[in-house]
Amino acid sequence: MNGFAGTTRLVRLAVRRDRITLPAWILGMAAFLAATTALFDKQYTQHPALLVPDTRIVVENPGMRVLGMVTGAHIGGYTLHRDALILAVLAAMMSVLAVVRHTRQSEELGREEMVRAGVAGRLSSLSAAVIVALGANLVLGVLLGLGMVVAGQPVAGALAGGASIALVGVAFTGVAAVTSQLSSTARGAIGVAGGALGLAFLSAALGNMTGTVDAAALRVTSAWPAWLSPIGWGQQMRPFADNRWWPAAFAVLSCAVLFGAAVVLLGRRDVGRGVWPERRGAAHASPSLLSPAGLIWRQQRPALVGWATGLLGFGLVFGALSDQIKDLTGEATEWYATFGGDAGLLGAYWASMMQIAGMAVAGYVVALVLRLHHDEIRGTLEPVLGTAVSRLRWLGAYAVNALTGALGLLLIFAVAMALTGAGVLGGTASLMGDLVGAAFVQLPAIALLGAAVVVLIMALPRWSAGLAWTLMVFAVFAGPMFGPSLNLPAWLLDLSPFTHVPNVPAEGASAVPLVGLSLGFVLLALAGAGLLRRRDLALPA
């Protein structure tokens, strides 16, 4: 039998299964980009004199270049600097989840065995998953471009901008095809692909931060690390400036090569197994596994190590940049002045970096808390509750892991930043104290967001994943890093917990917002616990 036999039917099956999920991803991202483009277009149409100085703030500031690359004073380019990174990460995750869902997860659940019993070749499921993911990215790129055109941007730049984001999804379609062969579990395949995404982000950020700025301070030329990353390839298309399409070929070529590698790997393993051998467990369980908190800690430990590694790297890099920030002059200092008030430039820089770290750690907490729903629908909760573990103890175990993990990640970032920052500036002890304090004040906002996700899971379990990530994105964009630039109304900014986090060490830590955030966390946690006690569990049949 031809290895690709039955691919067309499996494509139709995958499209039918994803008829809600993929349109939700695509339309959500397109609507978000169109809305933010319209906001920036309105702002700079009314105040055109602000576009050049605002662009210079971004170009001259290595910390801001982490978010992306600016190639001139264009409204579309400025919008993409603010939005493209998070959209690229979302496009990559959409592709990874789609491919893993139709390959590795199908093998885990036994669907692949049923498919193979019919007229379906060995490569049909993998091929169908890749085709569906590539099709989704094609539609995504077109709709992102159309969204910017509708918001008043030039057609050529808008289409290049949409493609620069979609090509990240194309590249990670190939990455997911390979990780689905390597790991024997869907969780492992997603985790490895997520690690690759983190490396891609780090490489692009390093390339932009260490790039060169032109004489007019309106354009950045990235250093070589940016060319190692699919995110960097998208940025090198330079939408609204050069509109170069040839960097997209790197994404297409990498996807083709990785798909070929996945085909080879697929031929060297059995159905249900991964190329990487499964590790045998210990003959005797650790005493820590006798508690639900220990069990959850064991399950999420690899993900925590991955997050810790990433934040350690970013902390070291951001701390080493302190020396450059100290010497900033002119318009580049205005953003920090608005962030840190009259405090020193370095204090505002450290506060802004800790805010970014806090938002990143919130993503870890949201992902961990969503495991509550995963345990429920996958049936792993049932044997746990069959013991002496109550529902509330199970929920409390997740809360303990989420809070301790978040605090540990924040401290790792703060300590790493303090070590390299002190290396270029001196004063290790005082800087360490300032940044560790800044790490602690992030925790109440993160905890409140995690508690809100618990309420969503308990109230609307079926829709909780989508709603939780929507809430996360809203909290980030309505927060202090993006909300003021988007000219969002004050009441909308106040809905983000990050808006109320004190700008430590630029400013002193005020107790009022921290107490308010902590009370909000307690009330939402109690609401989530109450809902958990009263509703039926959605256990598998």
Side-chain angles (χ1 to χ4, degrees):
M1 182 188 300
N2 188 321
F4 294 98
T7 299
T8 304
R9 289 183 178 180
L10 290 180
V11 168
R12 291 204 298 266
L13 175 63
V15 169
R16 178 173 173 76
R17 288 179 58 198
D18 287 347
R19 65 187 181 282
I20 295 176
T21 304
L22 288 179
W25 277 91
I26 294 169
L27 294 176
M29 286 189 276
F32 171 75
L33 181 59
T36 53
T37 304
L39 282 172
F40 282 120
D41 185 71
K42 180 181 178 183
Q43 175 184 340
Y44 289 115
T45 301
Q46 293 176 347
H47 308 285
L50 294 176
L51 183 57
V52 169
D54 285 354
T55 302
R56 286 192 175 127
I57 290 173
V58 174
V59 170
E60 293 178 334
N61 187 335
M64 293 290 288
R65 294 205 294 267
V66 171
L67 301 176
M69 188 178 64
V70 177
T71 56
H74 317 282
I75 296 175
Y78 187 82
T79 304
L80 285 177
H81 170 266
R82 294 302 183 111
D83 294 352
L85 175 61
I86 192 166
L87 289 173
V89 170
L90 290 174
M93 289 310 301
M94 176 188 74
S95 306
V96 169
L97 294 175
V99 172
V100 172
R101 184 165 52 246
H102 297 298
T103 54
R104 175 51 59 189
Q105 191 180 68
S106 291
E107 291 189 40
E108 273 192 296
L109 299 177
R111 295 193 189 111
E112 183 64 18
E113 220 169 349
M114 296 175 60
V115 169
R116 295 279 184 89
V119 185
R122 186 176 180 80
L123 305 176
S124 55
S125 293
L126 174 63
S127 304
V130 170
I131 289 171
V132 169
L134 292 178
N137 280 293
L138 177 62
V139 175
L140 173 66
V142 172
L143 290 186
L144 288 174
L146 290 178
M148 297 192 80
V149 171
V150 170
Q153 300 309 301
V155 175
L159 293 178
S164 69
I165 295 168
L167 71 83
V168 181
V170 170
F172 275 88
T173 296
V175 172
V178 171
T179 61
S180 295
Q181 314 309 316
L182 296 176
S183 176
S184 59
T185 65
R187 189 175 180 180
I190 294 171
V192 176
L197 182 58
L199 291 175
F201 172 49
L202 182 62
S203 181
L206 280 174
N208 292 333
M209 283 192 298
T210 57
T212 56
V213 178
D214 68 350
L218 292 174
R219 183 184 176 97
V220 177
T221 301
S222 302
W224 63 267
W227 290 96
L228 304 178
S229 162
I231 296 175
W233 300 335
Q235 294 168 347
Q236 300 309 317
M237 290 181 69
R238 297 180 178 271
F240 299 100
D242 302 336
N243 294 329
R244 299 187 299 200
W245 284 85
W246 57 265
F250 288 107
V252 176
L253 184 62
S254 66
C255 182
V257 171
L258 290 169
F259 176 73
V263 169
V264 173
L265 294 174
L266 180 59
R268 298 184 177 182
R269 67 177 182 85
D270 295 329
V271 176
R273 301 287 184 182
V275 173
W276 289 341
E278 296 180 55
R279 293 172 55 191
R280 290 187 175 182
H284 302 284
S286 166
S288 64
L289 293 177
L290 295 175
S291 69
L295 177 62
I296 294 165
W297 160 257
R298 177 65 183 85
Q299 291 175 329
Q300 58 87 39
R301 188 173 61 187
L304 183 62
V305 170
W307 278 86
T309 304
L311 285 168
L312 176 66
F314 280 114
L316 293 172
V317 171
F318 289 149
L321 286 172
S322 299
D323 194 37
Q324 296 184 32
I325 299 298
K326 181 188 66 174
D327 299 328
L328 285 180
T329 58
E331 291 161 343
T333 65
E334 293 179 7
W335 185 83
Y336 291 120
T338 59
F339 194 87
D342 296 331
L345 189 61
L346 278 174
Y349 168 70
W350 292 326
S352 65
M353 293 301 104
M354 288 308 304
Q355 284 270 10
I356 292 176
M359 294 174 190
V361 172
Y364 163 77
V365 170
V366 169
L368 175 60
V369 172
L370 282 173
R371 300 285 305 172
L372 285 163
H373 181 53
H374 181 269
D375 285 356
E376 192 175 342
I377 61 173
R378 293 294 302 275
T380 52
L381 174 61
E382 192 171 13
V384 174
L385 296 183
T387 64
V389 176
S390 67
R391 293 187 181 191
L392 292 183
R393 191 179 170 198
W394 169 65
L395 179 61
Y398 267 98
V400 168
N401 274 277
L403 292 176
T404 55
L407 182 58
L409 292 174
L410 288 169
L411 290 176
I412 287 172
F413 180 83
V415 170
M417 196 171 171
L419 288 176
T420 51
V424 296
L425 299 173
T428 305
S430 61
L431 183 56
M432 186 75 74
D434 288 344
L435 293 182
V436 168
F440 275 106
V441 300
Q442 308 295 325
L443 195 59
I446 296 171
L448 187 147
L449 191 60
V453 173
V454 171
V455 172
L456 288 175
I457 294 171
M458 300 309 159
L460 301 165
R462 185 176 179 184
W463 308 102
S464 57
L467 292 174
W469 288 114
T470 302
L471 180 64
M472 172 72 197
V473 171
F474 167 77
V476 169
F477 277 90
M481 299 298 297
F482 298 96
S485 300
L486 295 172
N487 288 326
L488 299 179
W491 65 268
L492 201 58
L493 299 178
D494 288 340
L495 292 179
S496 171
F498 300 116
T499 302
H500 307 285
V501 176
N503 292 331
V504 178
E507 301 171 351
S510 174
V512 174
L514 296 178
V515 171
L517 290 169
S518 300
L519 283 176
F521 159 67
V522 172
L523 291 174
L524 286 173
L526 290 175
L531 290 169
L532 175 61
R533 292 186 63 186
R534 292 175 180 277
R535 75 173 175 86
D536 294 332
L537 297 177
L539 299 174

